[in-house]
Amino acid sequence: MSETRKKSERTFKKIFLVLGTRPQIIKSVPILQEALKQDLCIQIIHTGQHYDASLSQVFFDELSPSAPLVNLNVGSGSHIYQSAEIMLRLEKHLIMEKPSLVLVPGDTNSAFAGAIASVKLGIDVAHLESGARSYDMKMAEEINRRLIDHSAQLLFAPTANCQKNLQGESVTGEIYLTGDTMYDNFLNFTNQADKNSIWEELNLIDNDYILLTTHRSENVDDPAKLQGILQTVQKAKMHVIFPIHPRTKERLKRSGISFNNTNIRAINPVGYIEMLALLKHAKIAITDSGGLQKEAFWSKTPCITIRDRTEWTETVDLGVNFITDVNPARITQALKHIKENYTEIKSKFRNNPYGDGKASEKIVRILKEKINL
Ligand code: UD1
Ligand code: UDP
Protein backbone atom coordinates (compact mmCIF):
# COMPACT_ATOMS: atom_id res chain seq x y z
CA MET A 1 0.00 0.00 0.00
CA SER A 2 1.34 3.46 -0.88
CA GLU A 3 2.35 5.83 1.93
CA THR A 4 -0.31 8.36 0.81
CA ARG A 5 -3.08 5.77 0.90
CA LYS A 6 -1.91 4.53 4.31
CA LYS A 7 -1.96 8.12 5.55
CA SER A 8 -5.41 8.88 4.22
CA GLU A 9 -6.76 5.64 5.72
CA ARG A 10 -5.29 6.72 9.02
CA THR A 11 -7.10 10.04 8.83
CA PHE A 12 -10.30 8.37 7.76
CA LYS A 13 -10.32 5.44 10.17
CA LYS A 14 -11.37 6.42 13.62
CA ILE A 15 -12.77 4.92 16.76
CA PHE A 16 -15.47 6.47 18.90
CA LEU A 17 -15.10 6.29 22.67
CA VAL A 18 -18.50 6.73 24.29
CA LEU A 19 -18.31 7.84 27.91
CA GLY A 20 -20.28 10.03 30.28
CA THR A 21 -19.29 9.51 33.90
CA ARG A 22 -16.38 10.10 36.28
CA PRO A 23 -15.01 6.54 36.40
CA GLN A 24 -15.36 6.13 32.64
CA ILE A 25 -13.21 9.18 32.00
CA ILE A 26 -10.59 7.96 34.47
CA LYS A 27 -10.32 4.44 33.06
CA SER A 28 -10.14 5.80 29.49
CA VAL A 29 -7.29 8.26 30.09
CA PRO A 30 -4.44 5.77 29.58
CA ILE A 31 -6.11 4.45 26.41
CA LEU A 32 -6.24 7.98 25.00
CA GLN A 33 -2.61 8.60 25.94
CA GLU A 34 -1.54 5.34 24.32
CA ALA A 35 -3.62 6.02 21.19
CA LEU A 36 -1.66 9.23 20.69
CA LYS A 37 1.61 7.29 20.93
CA GLN A 38 0.43 4.59 18.52
CA ASP A 39 -1.16 7.02 16.06
CA LEU A 40 -4.72 5.79 16.48
CA CYS A 41 -7.53 8.32 16.15
CA ILE A 42 -9.99 8.05 19.03
CA GLN A 43 -12.79 10.60 19.21
CA ILE A 44 -14.65 11.02 22.48
CA ILE A 45 -18.41 11.25 22.52
CA HIS A 46 -19.41 12.52 25.97
CA THR A 47 -23.02 11.61 26.73
CA GLY A 48 -23.41 14.29 29.41
CA GLN A 49 -24.61 11.75 31.99
CA HIS A 50 -22.28 13.51 34.43
CA TYR A 51 -22.26 17.26 33.87
CA ASP A 52 -21.01 18.84 37.13
CA ALA A 53 -17.43 20.02 36.59
CA SER A 54 -16.33 18.01 39.64
CA LEU A 55 -17.53 14.78 38.01
CA SER A 56 -16.31 15.45 34.50
CA GLN A 57 -14.36 18.55 33.41
CA VAL A 58 -11.94 18.32 36.33
CA PHE A 59 -10.54 15.06 34.93
CA PHE A 60 -10.03 16.50 31.46
CA ASP A 61 -8.22 19.43 33.07
CA GLU A 62 -5.94 17.44 35.36
CA LEU A 63 -5.32 14.24 33.39
CA SER A 64 -5.30 15.92 29.94
CA PRO A 65 -6.99 13.41 27.68
CA SER A 66 -8.17 14.83 24.37
CA ALA A 67 -11.35 16.91 24.55
CA PRO A 68 -14.70 15.39 23.60
CA LEU A 69 -15.67 15.77 19.95
CA VAL A 70 -19.25 16.27 21.02
CA ASN A 71 -21.34 16.37 24.19
CA LEU A 72 -24.80 14.83 23.89
CA ASN A 73 -25.91 16.71 27.05
CA VAL A 74 -28.31 14.01 28.11
CA GLY A 75 -28.19 14.92 31.82
CA SER A 76 -29.92 13.11 34.67
CA GLY A 77 -33.08 11.03 34.54
CA SER A 78 -34.40 7.51 34.90
CA HIS A 79 -32.35 4.63 33.54
CA ILE A 80 -34.73 4.26 30.61
CA TYR A 81 -34.78 7.96 29.81
CA GLN A 82 -31.01 8.18 30.01
CA SER A 83 -30.32 5.06 27.93
CA ALA A 84 -32.94 5.79 25.27
CA GLU A 85 -31.99 9.44 24.96
CA ILE A 86 -28.29 8.64 24.61
CA MET A 87 -29.08 6.14 21.83
CA LEU A 88 -31.26 8.66 20.00
CA ARG A 89 -28.74 11.48 20.28
CA LEU A 90 -25.81 9.23 19.39
CA GLU A 91 -27.42 7.72 16.31
CA LYS A 92 -26.87 10.71 14.02
CA HIS A 93 -23.19 10.97 14.97
CA LEU A 94 -22.66 7.28 14.31
CA ILE A 95 -24.35 7.53 10.92
CA MET A 96 -22.58 10.76 9.99
CA GLU A 97 -19.07 9.96 11.19
CA LYS A 98 -19.07 6.20 10.48
CA PRO A 99 -16.52 5.15 13.08
CA SER A 100 -14.73 1.86 12.38
CA LEU A 101 -15.49 0.73 15.91
CA VAL A 102 -17.03 2.01 19.14
CA LEU A 103 -15.27 1.53 22.45
CA VAL A 104 -17.32 1.63 25.64
CA PRO A 105 -15.72 1.58 29.09
CA GLY A 106 -17.29 0.07 32.20
CA ASP A 107 -20.91 -0.55 33.10
CA THR A 108 -22.81 2.73 33.18
CA ASN A 109 -25.92 3.66 31.25
CA SER A 110 -23.64 5.61 28.90
CA ALA A 111 -21.65 2.47 28.11
CA PHE A 112 -24.80 0.39 27.68
CA ALA A 113 -26.52 2.88 25.38
CA GLY A 114 -23.32 3.41 23.38
CA ALA A 115 -22.93 -0.33 22.83
CA ILE A 116 -26.53 -1.05 21.89
CA ALA A 117 -26.87 1.92 19.51
CA SER A 118 -23.65 0.91 17.75
CA VAL A 119 -24.36 -2.78 17.40
CA LYS A 120 -27.85 -1.98 16.08
CA LEU A 121 -26.23 0.10 13.35
CA GLY A 122 -23.86 -2.73 12.49
CA ILE A 123 -20.82 -1.06 14.04
CA ASP A 124 -18.40 -3.27 15.97
CA VAL A 125 -18.24 -2.67 19.72
CA ALA A 126 -15.27 -3.12 22.03
CA HIS A 127 -15.87 -3.37 25.78
CA LEU A 128 -13.28 -2.07 28.19
CA GLU A 129 -13.43 -3.75 31.62
CA SER A 130 -15.34 -6.70 30.29
CA GLY A 131 -16.43 -9.76 32.29
CA ALA A 132 -16.78 -8.19 35.75
CA ARG A 133 -19.75 -9.81 37.49
CA SER A 134 -21.45 -9.20 40.83
CA TYR A 135 -24.23 -11.73 40.06
CA ASP A 136 -26.79 -9.24 41.32
CA MET A 137 -29.26 -8.67 38.52
CA LYS A 138 -31.04 -5.99 40.57
CA MET A 139 -27.99 -3.79 40.10
CA ALA A 140 -28.27 -1.50 37.07
CA GLU A 141 -24.56 -1.92 36.37
CA GLU A 142 -24.76 -5.73 36.30
CA ILE A 143 -27.55 -5.58 33.71
CA ASN A 144 -25.50 -3.13 31.66
CA ARG A 145 -22.31 -5.21 31.83
CA ARG A 146 -24.00 -8.39 30.72
CA LEU A 147 -25.85 -6.79 27.82
CA ILE A 148 -22.70 -5.01 26.64
CA ASP A 149 -20.62 -8.19 26.87
CA HIS A 150 -23.14 -10.09 24.78
CA SER A 151 -23.20 -7.36 22.12
CA ALA A 152 -19.49 -6.68 21.81
CA GLN A 153 -17.07 -8.09 19.26
CA LEU A 154 -13.98 -7.31 21.36
CA LEU A 155 -13.97 -8.00 25.08
CA PHE A 156 -11.08 -6.61 27.10
CA ALA A 157 -11.02 -8.54 30.38
CA PRO A 158 -8.99 -6.89 33.17
CA THR A 159 -8.43 -10.08 35.19
CA ALA A 160 -8.29 -13.85 34.72
CA ASN A 161 -11.46 -14.06 36.76
CA CYS A 162 -13.30 -11.72 34.36
CA GLN A 163 -11.98 -13.78 31.44
CA LYS A 164 -13.32 -16.94 33.08
CA ASN A 165 -16.74 -15.32 33.61
CA LEU A 166 -16.95 -14.48 29.91
CA GLN A 167 -15.89 -17.95 28.82
CA GLY A 168 -18.52 -19.43 31.15
CA GLU A 169 -21.23 -17.32 29.48
CA SER A 170 -20.18 -18.36 25.96
CA VAL A 171 -20.05 -14.80 24.68
CA THR A 172 -19.67 -14.55 20.92
CA GLY A 173 -17.00 -11.82 20.83
CA GLU A 174 -13.23 -12.29 21.03
CA ILE A 175 -11.93 -12.27 24.61
CA TYR A 176 -8.57 -10.70 25.42
CA LEU A 177 -6.99 -10.80 28.88
CA THR A 178 -5.36 -7.38 28.94
CA GLY A 179 -5.06 -6.19 32.53
CA ASP A 180 -6.86 -3.20 34.00
CA THR A 181 -6.44 0.29 32.53
CA MET A 182 -7.25 1.73 35.99
CA TYR A 183 -4.00 0.14 37.15
CA ASP A 184 -2.12 1.74 34.22
CA ASN A 185 -3.60 5.05 35.31
CA PHE A 186 -2.69 4.47 38.95
CA LEU A 187 0.95 3.83 37.95
CA ASN A 188 1.03 6.84 35.63
CA PHE A 189 -0.19 9.25 38.31
CA THR A 190 1.15 7.69 41.51
CA ASN A 191 4.17 10.02 41.75
CA GLN A 192 1.97 13.08 41.39
CA ALA A 193 -0.30 11.70 44.11
CA ASP A 194 2.72 11.18 46.38
CA LYS A 195 3.57 14.86 46.03
CA ASN A 196 -0.01 16.00 46.67
CA SER A 197 -0.66 17.38 50.14
CA ILE A 198 -4.47 17.57 50.26
CA TRP A 199 -4.52 15.38 53.38
CA GLU A 200 -2.24 17.82 55.22
CA GLU A 201 -4.26 20.80 54.02
CA LEU A 202 -7.32 19.08 55.50
CA ASN A 203 -5.39 18.66 58.78
CA LEU A 204 -5.56 14.88 58.55
CA ILE A 205 -2.93 12.72 60.20
CA ASP A 206 -1.09 10.23 58.03
CA ASN A 207 -2.42 6.68 58.50
CA ASP A 208 -4.93 7.83 61.10
CA TYR A 209 -8.17 8.52 59.25
CA ILE A 210 -10.90 6.77 57.31
CA LEU A 211 -11.73 7.69 53.72
CA LEU A 212 -15.46 7.23 53.10
CA THR A 213 -17.31 7.32 49.78
CA THR A 214 -20.84 6.16 49.02
CA HIS A 215 -22.98 6.80 45.96
CA ARG A 216 -24.66 3.50 44.98
CA SER A 217 -28.38 4.02 44.52
CA GLU A 218 -29.12 0.90 46.60
CA ASN A 219 -27.36 2.55 49.57
CA VAL A 220 -28.01 6.24 49.32
CA ASP A 221 -31.55 6.30 47.94
CA ASP A 222 -32.77 4.62 51.13
CA PRO A 223 -32.57 7.20 53.97
CA ALA A 224 -32.42 4.47 56.65
CA LYS A 225 -29.42 2.82 54.99
CA LEU A 226 -27.64 6.11 54.44
CA GLN A 227 -28.29 7.17 58.04
CA GLY A 228 -27.08 3.73 59.21
CA ILE A 229 -23.77 4.01 57.34
CA LEU A 230 -23.09 7.45 58.80
CA GLN A 231 -24.10 6.49 62.34
CA THR A 232 -21.84 3.42 62.25
CA VAL A 233 -18.87 5.38 60.97
CA GLN A 234 -19.44 7.97 63.70
CA LYS A 235 -18.64 5.28 66.25
CA ALA A 236 -15.29 4.45 64.63
CA LYS A 237 -13.27 6.75 66.95
CA MET A 238 -11.27 8.04 63.98
CA HIS A 239 -11.49 11.06 61.75
CA VAL A 240 -13.47 10.38 58.60
CA ILE A 241 -13.04 12.31 55.38
CA PHE A 242 -16.05 12.05 53.11
CA PRO A 243 -15.90 13.44 49.54
CA ILE A 244 -19.60 13.54 48.67
CA HIS A 245 -20.99 12.48 45.29
CA PRO A 246 -23.76 14.90 44.16
CA ARG A 247 -26.30 12.07 44.25
CA THR A 248 -25.51 11.45 47.93
CA LYS A 249 -25.51 15.16 48.72
CA GLU A 250 -28.96 15.51 47.22
CA ARG A 251 -30.29 12.47 49.14
CA LEU A 252 -28.87 13.77 52.44
CA LYS A 253 -30.52 17.12 51.88
CA ARG A 254 -33.82 15.58 50.85
CA SER A 255 -34.01 13.32 53.91
CA GLY A 256 -32.68 15.93 56.34
CA ILE A 257 -29.77 13.76 57.52
CA SER A 258 -26.98 15.76 59.11
CA PHE A 259 -23.72 14.86 60.81
CA ASN A 260 -22.54 18.27 62.02
CA ASN A 261 -20.18 18.24 65.00
CA THR A 262 -19.19 14.61 64.48
CA ASN A 263 -15.94 12.93 63.40
CA ILE A 264 -17.16 12.98 59.76
CA ARG A 265 -15.98 15.80 57.56
CA ALA A 266 -17.76 16.15 54.25
CA ILE A 267 -16.00 17.77 51.31
CA ASN A 268 -16.89 18.24 47.66
CA PRO A 269 -15.75 15.54 45.23
CA VAL A 270 -12.01 15.80 44.69
CA GLY A 271 -9.83 15.36 41.60
CA TYR A 272 -8.24 12.02 40.74
CA ILE A 273 -4.76 12.86 42.02
CA GLU A 274 -6.17 14.25 45.25
CA MET A 275 -8.26 11.10 45.63
CA LEU A 276 -5.20 8.88 45.24
CA ALA A 277 -3.37 11.03 47.80
CA LEU A 278 -6.26 10.73 50.28
CA LEU A 279 -6.39 6.99 49.71
CA LYS A 280 -2.66 6.41 50.11
CA HIS A 281 -2.55 8.24 53.46
CA ALA A 282 -5.78 6.78 54.86
CA LYS A 283 -5.67 3.93 57.36
CA ILE A 284 -8.87 2.38 56.03
CA ALA A 285 -11.18 3.02 53.08
CA ILE A 286 -14.92 2.47 53.43
CA THR A 287 -16.70 2.55 50.10
CA ASP A 288 -19.33 1.22 47.75
CA SER A 289 -17.38 2.38 44.71
CA GLY A 290 -16.12 -0.20 42.23
CA GLY A 291 -12.99 1.66 41.15
CA LEU A 292 -12.01 2.71 44.64
CA GLN A 293 -11.84 -0.90 45.86
CA LYS A 294 -9.11 -1.57 43.30
CA GLU A 295 -7.30 1.71 43.93
CA ALA A 296 -7.32 0.93 47.67
CA PHE A 297 -5.59 -2.35 46.82
CA TRP A 298 -2.89 -0.64 44.74
CA SER A 299 -2.48 1.98 47.49
CA LYS A 300 -2.11 -0.84 50.06
CA THR A 301 -5.01 0.55 52.08
CA PRO A 302 -7.36 -2.02 53.66
CA CYS A 303 -10.91 -1.59 52.38
CA ILE A 304 -14.39 -2.20 53.74
CA THR A 305 -16.94 -2.56 50.96
CA ILE A 306 -20.41 -1.51 52.06
CA ARG A 307 -22.22 -3.71 49.56
CA ASP A 308 -23.47 -7.28 49.90
CA ARG A 309 -21.09 -8.46 47.17
CA THR A 310 -18.51 -7.16 44.75
CA GLU A 311 -17.48 -7.73 41.16
CA TRP A 312 -13.83 -7.26 42.27
CA THR A 313 -13.63 -10.54 44.17
CA GLU A 314 -9.85 -10.78 43.76
CA THR A 315 -9.25 -8.21 46.50
CA VAL A 316 -11.58 -10.08 48.85
CA ASP A 317 -9.84 -13.41 48.16
CA LEU A 318 -6.49 -11.79 48.98
CA GLY A 319 -7.85 -10.80 52.42
CA VAL A 320 -7.56 -7.01 52.06
CA ASN A 321 -11.14 -6.08 51.17
CA PHE A 322 -13.98 -6.92 53.56
CA ILE A 323 -17.59 -7.18 52.38
CA THR A 324 -19.98 -5.97 55.06
CA ASP A 325 -23.05 -4.69 53.21
CA VAL A 326 -24.49 -1.71 55.13
CA ASN A 327 -24.89 -3.88 58.22
CA PRO A 328 -23.68 -1.82 61.24
CA ALA A 329 -22.46 -4.86 63.18
CA ARG A 330 -20.48 -6.17 60.21
CA ILE A 331 -18.92 -2.77 59.45
CA THR A 332 -17.93 -2.38 63.12
CA GLN A 333 -16.54 -5.91 63.20
CA ALA A 334 -14.50 -5.29 60.02
CA LEU A 335 -13.10 -2.04 61.46
CA LYS A 336 -12.06 -3.88 64.63
CA HIS A 337 -10.54 -6.73 62.64
CA ILE A 338 -8.50 -4.37 60.46
CA LYS A 339 -7.23 -2.36 63.43
CA GLU A 340 -6.27 -5.47 65.40
CA ASN A 341 -4.60 -7.25 62.48
CA TYR A 342 -3.20 -4.25 60.66
CA THR A 343 0.38 -5.46 60.13
CA GLU A 344 -0.74 -8.85 58.92
CA ILE A 345 -3.30 -7.35 56.51
CA LYS A 346 -0.73 -4.88 55.18
CA SER A 347 1.54 -7.83 54.32
CA LYS A 348 -1.16 -9.28 52.04
CA PHE A 349 -0.96 -6.59 49.36
CA ARG A 350 0.98 -8.77 46.98
CA ASN A 351 0.23 -10.57 43.74
CA ASN A 352 -1.58 -7.85 41.82
CA PRO A 353 -4.28 -9.63 39.76
CA TYR A 354 -4.90 -6.52 37.61
CA GLY A 355 -2.10 -6.90 35.08
CA ASP A 356 1.33 -5.42 34.46
CA GLY A 357 0.39 -1.76 33.94
CA LYS A 358 0.47 -2.16 30.15
CA ALA A 359 -3.21 -2.92 29.53
CA SER A 360 -3.72 0.22 27.45
CA GLU A 361 -0.73 -0.52 25.24
CA LYS A 362 -2.13 -3.98 24.47
CA ILE A 363 -5.67 -2.73 23.94
CA VAL A 364 -4.64 0.00 21.49
CA ARG A 365 -2.56 -2.53 19.54
CA ILE A 366 -5.56 -4.88 19.30
CA LEU A 367 -7.87 -2.03 18.28
CA LYS A 368 -5.49 -1.02 15.50
CA GLU A 369 -5.22 -4.57 14.22
CA LYS A 370 -8.99 -4.95 14.31
CA ILE A 371 -9.59 -1.91 12.10
CA ASN A 372 -6.63 -2.82 9.87
CA LEU A 373 -4.43 0.17 10.62
C1 UD1 B 1 -23.47 6.57 37.69
C2 UD1 B 1 -23.40 5.11 37.26
C3 UD1 B 1 -22.65 4.30 38.31
C4 UD1 B 1 -21.29 4.90 38.58
C5 UD1 B 1 -21.42 6.38 38.92
C6 UD1 B 1 -20.05 6.98 39.03
C7 UD1 B 1 -25.31 4.19 36.00
C8 UD1 B 1 -26.50 3.33 36.08
N1 UD1 B 1 -24.73 4.52 37.17
O1 UD1 B 1 -24.18 6.64 38.92
O2 UD1 B 1 -22.44 2.98 37.81
O3 UD1 B 1 -20.70 4.23 39.67
O4 UD1 B 1 -22.15 7.04 37.87
O5 UD1 B 1 -20.02 8.12 39.79
O6 UD1 B 1 -24.91 4.57 34.93
N2 UD1 B 1 -25.96 14.30 39.57
C9 UD1 B 1 -25.52 15.60 39.73
N3 UD1 B 1 -24.56 16.05 38.88
C10 UD1 B 1 -24.03 15.30 37.88
C11 UD1 B 1 -24.49 13.99 37.72
C12 UD1 B 1 -25.46 13.52 38.58
O7 UD1 B 1 -25.96 16.32 40.61
O8 UD1 B 1 -23.15 15.79 37.15
C13 UD1 B 1 -26.97 13.79 40.52
C14 UD1 B 1 -28.40 13.93 40.01
O9 UD1 B 1 -29.24 14.16 41.12
C15 UD1 B 1 -28.67 12.55 39.45
C16 UD1 B 1 -27.88 11.66 40.40
O10 UD1 B 1 -26.73 12.41 40.73
O11 UD1 B 1 -30.03 12.23 39.41
C17 UD1 B 1 -27.48 10.33 39.80
O12 UD1 B 1 -26.71 10.49 38.62
P1 UD1 B 1 -26.59 9.31 37.56
O13 UD1 B 1 -25.62 9.65 36.51
O14 UD1 B 1 -27.94 8.88 37.12
O15 UD1 B 1 -26.05 8.09 38.41
P2 UD1 B 1 -24.81 8.01 39.41
O16 UD1 B 1 -25.33 7.75 40.77
O17 UD1 B 1 -23.89 9.14 39.22
N1 UDP C 1 -12.85 9.61 42.43
C1 UDP C 1 -12.34 10.90 42.35
N2 UDP C 1 -12.82 11.85 43.21
C2 UDP C 1 -13.78 11.58 44.13
C3 UDP C 1 -14.31 10.26 44.18
C4 UDP C 1 -13.83 9.31 43.32
O1 UDP C 1 -11.46 11.18 41.53
O2 UDP C 1 -14.17 12.49 44.89
C5 UDP C 1 -12.35 8.60 41.49
C6 UDP C 1 -11.78 7.36 42.13
O3 UDP C 1 -10.44 7.57 42.47
C7 UDP C 1 -11.97 6.32 41.04
C8 UDP C 1 -13.27 6.75 40.40
O4 UDP C 1 -13.45 8.12 40.73
O5 UDP C 1 -10.94 6.41 40.08
C9 UDP C 1 -14.40 5.93 40.94
O6 UDP C 1 -15.59 6.50 40.55
P1 UDP C 1 -16.97 6.24 41.28
O7 UDP C 1 -16.73 5.79 42.66
O8 UDP C 1 -17.78 7.46 41.05
O9 UDP C 1 -17.63 5.11 40.38
P2 UDP C 1 -17.49 3.52 40.35
O10 UDP C 1 -16.07 3.15 40.24
O11 UDP C 1 -18.17 3.00 41.57
O12 UDP C 1 -18.28 3.14 39.13
Side-chain angles (χ1 to χ4, degrees):
M1 193 189 296
S2 77
E3 231 4 78
T4 336
R5 185 154 156 230
K6 255 196 217 159
K7 248 193 186 152
S8 75
E9 284 216 338
R10 218 168 260 153
T11 347
F12 178 68
K13 286 195 173 174
K14 59 187 166 253
I15 287 178
F16 270 9
L17 169 62
V18 179
L19 48 71
T21 66
R22 169 168 72 188
Q24 290 183 291
I25 302 168
I26 293 171
K27 61 191 71 161
S28 300
V29 164
I31 294 276
L32 291 161
Q33 289 169 337
E34 190 58 38
L36 274 180
K37 279 194 214 157
Q38 292 193 38
D39 204 10
L40 171 69
C41 176
I42 298 190
Q43 294 184 334
I44 303 172
I45 305 287
H46 195 309
T47 64
Q49 178 174 348
H50 282 175
Y51 41 88
D52 284 359
S54 64
L55 292 189
S56 177
Q57 189 55 44
V58 67
F59 305 108
F60 288 96
D61 292 343
E62 69 168 341
L63 309 178
S64 322
S66 35
L69 173 73
V70 65
N71 192 319
L72 304 176
N73 289 315
V74 71
S76 301
S78 71
H79 291 290
I80 294 182
Y81 164 82
Q82 223 166 33
S83 309
E85 201 60 33
I86 293 170
M87 283 192 230
L88 277 172
R89 295 185 193 194
L90 183 59
E91 183 180 23
K92 68 169 186 280
H93 296 281
L94 291 172
I95 292 172
M96 221 160 53
E97 295 281 334
K98 297 188 181 57
S100 306
L101 193 142
V102 173
L103 175 65
V104 297
D107 53 18
T108 65
N109 290 342
S110 294
F112 162 70
I116 301 301
S118 305
V119 79
K120 287 277 185 186
L121 289 170
I123 302 168
D124 280 358
V125 171
H127 188 201
L128 182 66
E129 212 179 68
S130 178
R133 294 290 181 268
S134 67
Y135 297 97
D136 177 3
M137 281 303 277
K138 289 205 189 80
M139 200 182 170
E141 292 79 2
E142 181 75 1
I143 301 168
N144 291 342
R145 284 178 206 128
R146 284 173 183 257
L147 295 173
I148 300 168
D149 282 335
H150 286 267
S151 314
Q153 280 69 34
L154 297 179
L155 302 136
F156 299 130
T159 66
N161 196 30
C162 294
Q163 182 188 37
K164 208 170 93 210
N165 292 338
L166 292 169
Q167 287 162 343
E169 286 176 23
S170 306
V171 291
T172 51
E174 298 161 35
I175 307 168
Y176 295 89
L177 176 59
T178 57
D180 196 317
T181 63
M182 287 193 89
Y183 182 50
D184 300 6
N185 218 35
F186 178 85
L187 292 180
N188 292 344
F189 291 98
T190 199
N191 288 341
Q192 284 187 55
D194 288 341
K195 288 183 204 136
N196 189 286
S197 56
I198 182 172
W199 58 282
E200 285 172 302
E201 286 150 26
L202 290 166
N203 292 320
L204 296 165
I205 299 170
D206 184 27
N207 206 33
D208 197 19
Y209 64 90
I210 292 170
L211 172 66
L212 171 68
T213 81
T214 178
H215 72 277
R216 291 272 148 225
S217 61
E218 51 275 29
N219 286 349
V220 305
D221 292 355
D222 177 344
K225 280 192 182 176
L226 185 51
Q227 176 95 284
I229 296 167
L230 296 168
Q231 281 174 348
T232 309
V233 174
Q234 279 171 44
K235 294 182 193 138
K237 298 198 184 90
M238 278 174 85
H239 287 293
V240 177
I241 193 77
F242 181 24
I244 301 196
H245 188 288
R247 178 188 202 107
T248 312
K249 194 172 181 179
E250 196 272 332
R251 301 303 189 261
L252 285 167
K253 199 170 153 203
R254 199 197 292 173
S255 43
I257 300 171
S258 110
F259 42 88
N260 295 334
N261 305 318
T262 69
N263 57 335
I264 304 176
R265 178 154 170 208
I267 55 172
N268 285 325
V270 293
Y272 175 72
I273 291 161
E274 289 175 331
M275 193 58 179
L276 289 190
L278 284 174
L279 195 50
K280 281 168 176 249
H281 291 277
K283 189 169 182 95
I284 300 169
I286 301 183
T287 192
D288 57 17
S289 161
L292 218 66
Q293 290 174 59
K294 294 184 285 180
E295 288 164 353
F297 175 77
W298 302 319
S299 304
K300 302 189 178 2
T301 301
C303 183
I304 295 175
T305 296
I306 43 176
R307 287 170 49 190
D308 67 355
R309 64 191 87 188
T310 180
E311 56 283 8
W312 304 115
T313 49
E314 302 85 2
T315 53
V316 179
D317 296 343
L318 287 165
V320 297
N321 184 7
F322 302 88
I323 304 292
T324 61
D325 202 352
V326 290
N327 180 315
R330 286 174 67 189
I331 299 172
T332 307
Q333 173 61 33
L335 278 166
K336 187 167 174 277
H337 175 77
I338 294 172
K339 285 183 195 165
E340 288 176 0
N341 300 281
Y342 200 66
T343 315
E344 191 205 328
I345 293 169
K346 287 288 262 189
S347 73
K348 292 182 178 173
F349 287 97
R350 284 168 301 189
N351 305 333
N352 177 22
Y354 298 99
D356 58 3
K358 293 189 166 47
S360 314
E361 197 184 308
K362 287 174 212 152
I363 289 169
V364 170
R365 217 180 308 120
I366 297 165
L367 289 172
K368 283 183 73 176
E369 269 170 34
K370 188 70 189 170
I371 64 169
N372 296 320
L373 262 192

